[in-house]
Amino acid sequence: MKRAKGKEVGTEIECPECDGTGFPQVRQPVQPGRKIYPPPCKRCLGKGRIETTPMPRGHRGLGV
């Protein structure tokens, strides 16, 4: 039997920077046989999804 940890579990959303692919969109060259392989997305680190954590109650996000 597993025990639940005291930490709340967030939800995951699709990364808006790479549209869930894990790589930023790159325009491929017209030349046949040549491909550009972009580095992983900087926002999601190549996962394609970003974990969102729920805010505690009463938190307004004012940065205070």
Side-chain angles (χ1 to χ4, degrees):
M1 184 186 299
K2 289 186 177 183
R3 288 186 173 218
K5 294 184 179 181
K7 189 168 103 173
E8 289 188 37
V9 177
T11 58
E12 287 187 346
I13 60 168
E14 188 175 270
C15 178
E17 296 288 322
C18 64
D19 294 327
T21 62
F23 298 95
Q25 290 186 353
V26 175
R27 189 176 190 133
Q28 295 293 330
V30 181
Q31 301 165 335
R34 296 194 47 114
K35 289 192 77 76
I36 295 176
Y37 296 99
C41 176
K42 292 179 182 176
R43 187 164 185 188
C44 67
L45 304 174
K47 295 179 184 176
R49 302 191 69 70
I50 298 173
E51 185 175 330
T52 59
T53 55
M55 293 284 188
R57 275 189 190 203
H59 181 70
R60 296 181 187 199
L62 300 176
V64 179

